[in-house]
Amino acid sequence: MNKVSYPKLTKMTLAGYKSIAYDFPQEIPIGDINILIGANGSGKSNLISFFRMLNYMMTGSLQTYIGQSSSAENLLHFGSKKTPFINASLEFTNDKNVKDIYNMTLVKTVQDSFIFSEENIKYNGKIYNLNEGHKESFLFTNRAKNNVIKVMGVLLSKCRTFQFHDTSVSSNIRTNSFLDNNKYLFGDGGNLASVLYLLKNKEVYEKYYHKIVFYIQNIFPQFDDFVLEPLPLNQNYIKLNWKQKSSLDYILGVDQLSDGIIRFMALAVLLLTPPELLPNIIVIDEPELGLHPRAIEALAAMVNDASRYSQIILASHSERLLDCLDTKNVITADQDRLHNCSIYKRVDEEALHDWLEEYSLSQLWNKNILRGQP
């Protein structure tokens, strides 16, 4: 199946998860680019974290995600006394307008975990039930032999979340990485050097590598190129070294890069990588963290570039990033005081037509015309 022929995520419905009420489900249309804006505590990160939970589910690690979240109780909207289940539905649509819908319902056990009380796929009007009472998704068990089930498993596994916030001295992104971990960029960027090594040394990927270097040079003018070689004492590992234009014979280490530059490098590799290596859906939490305003403009250009091949979902507080993207891309997150929960709405571009003749998107956001303010 060619990458560009994969069905796109066109709608997701979520209920009972974190700040989203089970009796007030949120139906969110998804486009090629989606920038989620809102005040602190509005539910942006909760929506992003659902995709992270989905990543764990698609590797058979839902119970690990629950453990890392402290308990299943924490994942239910105001706990199990108020919320009996989490329900999610993801609707994919192909170029012939045929819909492929994944639906799941999770209920809490007495052991403070989750089991699937329902998991099914609806394809072309037919429902495929995937059993019930199991602790992990049926999609990646040996029993998933039906082609409809296999395709859905591929679609969901190619939705990946990324957050490059941790650039501390001990972070994975600053330490040596295993050379063969290069099939795709990890969610924390921990294999950044390995992926760059692949792109630089495989002829068919060279143009993508040079594009990445070009973008980095534009926001970090003294940068010349990466120095990517396996470690002399352990050829299975590689370190993110580089050289500066003013001193090409001196190799600099990753410890001589700022947090913002490292994050931008990771974003460039993620968004400018060859189309066949891209996830179908890229979910990034606060990509603007630590970036210079000029780097945020470059980020927007890279997002537009990647959206030709992947769907992009961003959670952001950046006014500058907002102004670099189209109105149709914006989804606002707010708190509904009546239901005491998060609500998500795509901005109506037509309704804002007159406003946009005089104001930018960020100005309308600050004026709370877009909503998404405290």
Side-chain angles (χ1 to χ4, degrees):
M1 188 185 296
N2 191 289
K3 179 175 178 60
V4 296
S5 70
Y6 274 103
K8 290 185 176 182
L9 177 62
T10 47
K11 183 174 67 177
M12 64 179 295
T13 305
L14 191 56
Y17 180 77
K18 291 193 174 181
S19 61
I20 303 168
Y22 86 95
D23 54 352
F24 196 46
Q26 293 300 296
E27 186 177 290
I28 309 166
I30 305 295
D32 290 343
I33 299 175
N34 310 268
I35 178 167
L36 187 63
I37 62 171
N40 289 329
S42 61
K44 300 187 307 301
S45 294
N46 289 341
L47 189 61
I48 296 298
S49 76
F50 170 77
F51 285 103
R52 189 171 295 115
M53 183 177 79
L54 191 65
N55 288 171
Y56 277 81
M57 284 173 49
M58 294 304 105
T59 59
S61 303
L62 173 60
Q63 303 307 313
T64 300
Y65 179 81
I66 296 168
Q68 292 180 355
S69 303
S70 297
S71 68
E73 188 77 10
N74 286 347
L75 298 176
L76 293 164
H77 182 241
F78 286 108
S80 55
K81 287 187 177 181
K82 180 176 177 64
T83 300
F85 58 76
I86 293 171
N87 178 255
S89 177
L90 290 92
E91 180 179 292
F92 295 84
T93 307
N94 67 15
D95 53 6
K96 297 179 181 178
N97 205 35
V98 176
K99 299 188 184 304
D100 204 351
I101 304 170
Y102 173 76
N103 182 69
M104 71 166 190
T105 302
L106 297 173
V107 295
K108 182 175 173 285
T109 67
V110 293
Q111 290 84 18
D112 194 30
S113 186
F114 282 126
I115 59 170
F116 289 81
S117 67
E118 178 185 34
E119 189 177 25
N120 63 57
I121 297 167
K122 185 177 181 180
Y123 175 70
N124 207 15
K126 183 177 179 180
I127 296 177
Y128 298 80
N129 288 309
L130 306 182
N131 218 333
E132 60 184 39
H134 44 296
K135 291 184 177 181
E136 298 292 347
S137 173
F138 185 86
L139 291 174
F140 281 87
T141 67
N142 293 329
R143 294 169 290 173
K145 297 177 181 178
N146 183 285
N147 282 337
V148 171
I149 299 173
K150 286 183 178 179
V151 168
M152 181 55 71
V154 171
L155 290 175
L156 295 181
S157 68
K158 289 184 175 291
C159 171
R160 299 195 189 117
T161 57
F162 299 87
Q163 187 184 69
F164 304 129
H165 292 187
D166 185 7
T167 51
S168 61
V169 174
S170 59
S171 63
N172 290 332
I173 205 168
R174 284 188 182 268
T175 54
N176 301 338
S177 63
F178 186 57
L179 193 61
D180 287 341
N181 278 341
N182 55 25
K183 292 183 180 179
Y184 56 84
L185 187 65
F186 292 169
D188 64 355
N191 63 334
L192 185 59
S194 302
V195 174
L196 281 165
Y197 181 83
L198 172 71
L199 300 182
K200 186 174 185 178
N201 290 283
K202 193 166 184 176
E203 185 176 354
V204 69
Y205 295 153
E206 274 188 311
K207 65 178 181 180
Y208 298 98
Y209 175 81
H210 293 308
K211 190 173 185 178
I212 290 167
V213 170
F214 173 77
Y215 265 83
I216 295 170
Q217 288 173 339
N218 275 343
I219 63 102
F220 185 30
Q222 58 267 48
F223 177 81
D224 179 70
D225 199 357
F226 292 103
V227 179
L228 300 165
E229 298 174 358
L231 298 179
L233 298 180
N234 190 340
Q235 296 285 304
N236 293 320
Y237 285 83
I238 189 169
K239 188 175 182 180
L240 190 69
N241 290 326
W242 60 288
K243 55 186 177 180
Q244 190 168 301
K245 288 180 179 179
S246 60
S247 184
L248 296 179
D249 58 344
Y250 187 77
I251 296 177
L252 298 161
V254 69
D255 53 314
Q256 291 159 299
L257 291 169
S258 70
D259 293 343
I261 290 297
I262 292 177
R263 289 171 189 147
F264 184 84
M265 288 176 172
L267 288 165
V269 170
L270 170 62
L271 296 169
L272 300 177
T273 204
E276 60 268 31
L277 301 183
L278 281 169
N280 286 359
I281 303 172
I282 297 172
V283 183
I284 316 176
D285 193 14
E286 296 186 10
E288 74 276 6
L289 185 68
L291 298 189
H292 185 275
R294 185 174 173 183
I296 292 176
E297 293 172 4
L299 168 62
M302 295 190 298
V303 165
N304 280 306
D305 192 295
S307 70
R308 294 181 297 161
Y309 312 103
S310 298
Q311 292 179 270
I312 316 292
I313 301 173
L314 311 170
S316 177
H317 288 117
S318 173
E319 295 178 7
R320 201 176 194 96
L321 181 58
L322 183 63
D323 283 337
C324 289
L325 298 175
D326 291 337
T327 309
K328 64 182 180 181
N329 303 143
V330 183
I331 299 172
T332 60
D334 276 299
Q335 277 289 311
D336 184 288
R337 294 182 181 179
L338 177 63
H339 297 87
N340 203 13
C341 66
S342 295
I343 55 173
Y344 306 90
K345 292 184 179 179
R346 185 168 287 280
V347 168
D348 186 342
E349 187 174 16
E350 187 175 338
L352 292 174
H353 180 267
D354 292 341
W355 284 99
L356 289 168
E357 290 186 353
E358 296 187 35
Y359 300 99
S360 68
L361 273 175
S362 62
Q363 288 173 324
L364 294 180
W365 185 19
N366 283 324
K367 292 176 180 293
N368 211 26
I369 303 300
L370 295 184
R371 300 188 61 82
Q373 290 286 358

